Amino acid sequence: MVWNETMECMSRDEMHKIQSIRLKKVVERVYHNTPFYRKKMQESGVTPDDIETIEDIVKLPFTVKNDLRDNYPFGLMASPMSEIVRLHASSGTTGKPIVVGYTRNDLTVWNEGVARCLTAYGLTKNDVVQVSYGYGLFTGGLGAHGGTEYIGGTVIPMSSGNTQKQIQLMHDFGANALACTPSYALYLAETIHESGIPIEEFKLRIGAFGAEPWTENMRKELEDKLRIKAYDIYGLTEISGPGVGGECEYQDGTHLWEDHFYPEIVDPETLLPVESGKFGELVFTTLTKDGMPMIRYRTRDLTRLNYEKCRCGRTAVRMDRILGRSDDMLIIKGVNVFPSQVESVILELPEFEPHYIILVDRVDNTDTFQIQVEVRPEYYSDEMNKILALKKKIAARMQSVIGIQPDIKIVEPRSLERSQGKAKHVIDNRKLA
């Protein structure tokens, strides 16, 4: 068990003192070791001497994803390459990848962050964790792997794909926990039910799901199909990988390990801090990272923070479920639409599977908005009036939640492609015009 009670449960004043000391130290590090940050700070008229407390963080300039691409591959390192023991990179499909370097100390901090999450879920050294995130340059696989070893648990390093073998080894090796994307967990659940192996023969009790936004309805679906408790694990490559935060047994927000990763919420338009408890864009500063620190990194994730003490006893700030990303938001006929809103409607209606595609296009200068969604086998019918009734039901619900009525296309069960990693739900052809 790895419960860092001192850090996870300390008072706000004590946390602020630690954050202030660590912020000053990391700002000095990047100013002297990273030309990019030194130049940005000089352009903003800021020096390390201007940073005394954590409240001074607002004086510092923001960092964005393009800064990492522009300094590819090693321009943002604050440690010599002789001290960098591992490199990871994002799975971006366009342009240069985001490259991140880790020192030995960075890996220890990362492993401990994941270990705190696994412990909060109730896992111990006696548990077996099947890691079905992708291994390699993607941080998911090795992140979950390192955290499991840190708590002394047994790792099954499956990576993603090869679904039949996933199920066989999960069953035969007695995995207690599954770590993967929620969309792949759903695919595994479907395949288990089709395999003929009774779900009662599996020892799964916990899921550690992340790397893509998911809803409360998706959680219920996973918990019901896999007979587990499904927990969120949050992270991003630029900050460290999975383990920046995770839920506790109360599933009432994702605790962020703010002694290592300082969170802010800003207005994505003005970049000014929002009022406490308001939604905005999540920004992180790494307080203990040596290899490649990030100063006020704009994640584009939209959420809010809750600083009230949790029922579990932790005072570590809690983050709400991510609404979506500010750069994933679709503006259709002037209406803001998030894929998570579409998913929440689909999952609340019992007739539909949680598999869907959002198709957006522009015809004669007018936006078109179609949602393809699978109907469950027991509701699928050749009778046109029954399918029309289903279309009418889901379209009306979509309009009430989103504010715009999509063209609904109901498709046959298991006709949409399944994801073995991060699910792709949106095809916006307007961007290609």
Side-chain angles (χ1 to χ4, degrees):
M1 181 174 179
V2 179
W3 183 30
N4 192 332
E5 186 173 358
T6 301
M7 290 299 182
E8 295 177 50
C9 302
M10 68 169 47
S11 71
R12 243 343 70 214
D13 286 344
E14 290 174 310
M15 180 60 74
H16 279 174
K17 286 177 186 174
I18 287 173
Q19 289 170 334
S20 297
I21 292 167
R22 291 179 172 179
L23 176 65
K24 187 166 180 63
K25 185 177 178 182
V26 76
V27 168
E28 288 173 348
R29 182 178 186 83
V30 298
Y31 189 85
H32 295 298
N33 295 353
T34 311
F36 166 80
Y37 277 120
R38 181 165 59 251
K39 184 172 183 285
K40 282 198 83 166
M41 289 173 64
Q42 288 172 345
E43 289 172 350
S44 301
V46 184
T47 72
D49 291 338
D50 295 316
I51 308 301
E52 292 294 336
T53 70
I54 195 66
E55 285 77 16
D56 292 326
I57 199 167
V58 295
K59 300 176 183 177
L60 297 167
F62 290 95
T63 309
V64 296
K65 184 165 283 192
N66 276 343
D67 293 330
L68 280 79
R69 291 199 174 107
D70 292 344
N71 287 277
Y72 174 91
F74 306 135
L76 290 183
M77 300 296 179
S79 296
M81 290 304 293
S82 60
E83 294 178 12
I84 300 296
V85 298
R86 192 193 296 172
L87 295 170
H88 277 283
S90 70
S91 53
T93 54
T94 58
K96 294 174 181 175
I98 302 302
V99 179
V100 179
Y102 301 76
T103 64
R104 199 169 296 281
N105 180 65
D106 293 338
L107 291 181
T108 299
V109 170
W110 183 13
N111 289 340
E112 199 230 340
V114 177
R116 289 188 196 181
C117 299
L118 301 181
T119 297
Y121 308 154
L123 292 170
T124 71
K125 65 180 181 180
N126 299 315
D127 286 306
V128 179
V129 181
Q130 183 153 322
V131 178
S132 300
Y133 286 110
Y135 278 65
L137 290 174
F138 175 59
T139 55
L142 284 167
H145 185 123
T148 302
E149 289 186 342
Y150 199 90
I151 66 171
T154 302
V155 184
I156 306 174
M158 283 299 304
S159 194
S160 57
N162 204 349
T163 303
Q164 294 299 330
K165 187 159 229 175
Q166 295 262 5
I167 292 166
Q168 179 192 337
L169 297 189
M170 186 188 299
H171 175 271
D172 296 350
F173 291 1
N176 308 118
L178 171 65
C180 64
T181 62
S183 54
Y184 188 48
L186 200 60
Y187 181 41
L188 284 169
E190 286 181 348
T191 311
I192 287 172
H193 284 278
E194 290 168 359
S195 72
I197 306 173
I199 192 69
E200 293 79 13
E201 289 188 14
F202 290 82
K203 294 184 178 178
L204 279 183
R205 70 174 202 279
I206 286 169
F209 303 134
E212 61 189 20
W214 52 304
T215 60
E216 280 299 312
N217 287 331
M218 175 74 94
R219 189 207 300 273
K220 293 186 182 75
E221 185 92 6
L222 288 165
E223 291 187 337
D224 180 58
K225 286 189 171 180
L226 289 173
R227 310 275 181 91
I228 60 172
K229 280 198 79 171
Y231 294 99
D232 184 54
I233 187 165
Y234 177 77
L236 55 165
T237 299
E238 300 90 325
I239 302 303
S240 80
V244 171
E247 291 180 308
C248 65
E249 68 265 32
Y250 291 101
Q251 298 172 311
D252 188 20
T254 298
H255 289 280
L256 299 176
W257 310 132
E258 54 181 315
D259 51 314
H260 295 298
F261 317 105
Y262 181 74
E264 302 173 78
I265 301 290
V266 302
D267 183 306
E269 299 297 328
T270 67
L271 299 184
L272 295 174
V274 302
E275 290 179 34
S276 180
K278 298 292 185 183
F279 280 96
E281 182 180 332
L282 182 62
V283 172
F284 275 115
T285 297
T286 58
L287 298 177
T288 56
K289 204 168 184 187
D290 294 330
M292 194 174 129
M294 285 283 104
I295 304 296
R296 300 195 84 192
Y297 181 74
R298 294 184 59 188
T299 67
R300 302 289 183 175
D301 289 335
L302 299 173
T303 185
R304 63 181 173 181
L305 299 178
N306 179 0
Y307 284 92
E308 293 179 7
K309 184 177 180 178
C310 183
R311 285 173 286 168
C312 70
R314 292 175 179 83
T315 55
V317 64
R318 282 173 286 157
M319 175 181 76
D320 260 25
R321 276 199 176 278
I322 292 167
L323 291 177
R325 292 173 55 83
S326 59
D327 51 358
D328 278 352
M329 183 179 74
L330 297 164
I331 301 177
I332 304 172
K333 297 180 180 178
V335 177
N336 296 343
V337 178
F338 289 100
S340 59
Q341 293 175 304
V342 172
E343 182 176 292
S344 68
V345 170
I346 292 169
L347 283 164
E348 75 182 34
L349 299 176
E351 297 92 344
F352 299 98
E353 295 280 11
H355 300 291
Y356 63 95
I357 296 290
I358 300 169
L359 285 167
V360 186
D361 210 336
R362 185 166 284 130
V363 178
D364 296 331
N365 294 319
T366 301
D367 289 340
T368 63
F369 176 28
Q370 183 185 79
I371 299 172
Q372 298 180 6
V373 59
E374 280 187 21
V375 68
R376 294 189 188 275
E378 59 269 32
Y379 292 98
Y380 188 71
S381 173
D382 291 331
E383 296 180 35
M384 186 60 69
N385 63 328
K386 290 185 178 179
I387 294 298
L388 286 174
L390 285 177
K391 283 181 65 171
K392 186 176 180 181
K393 178 178 181 179
I394 191 171
R397 182 65 184 138
M398 285 290 178
Q399 180 158 19
S400 69
V401 171
I402 299 171
I404 182 173
Q405 184 164 311
D407 169 33
I408 299 293
K409 182 179 181 181
I410 293 177
V411 301
E412 295 181 21
R414 298 194 66 79
S415 60
L416 295 179
E417 185 179 353
R418 298 312 194 240
S419 169
Q420 297 188 5
K422 290 189 179 186
K424 181 173 175 59
H425 289 301
V426 179
I427 299 173
D428 189 348
N429 290 321
R430 297 174 302 177
K431 297 174 183 175
L432 304 178

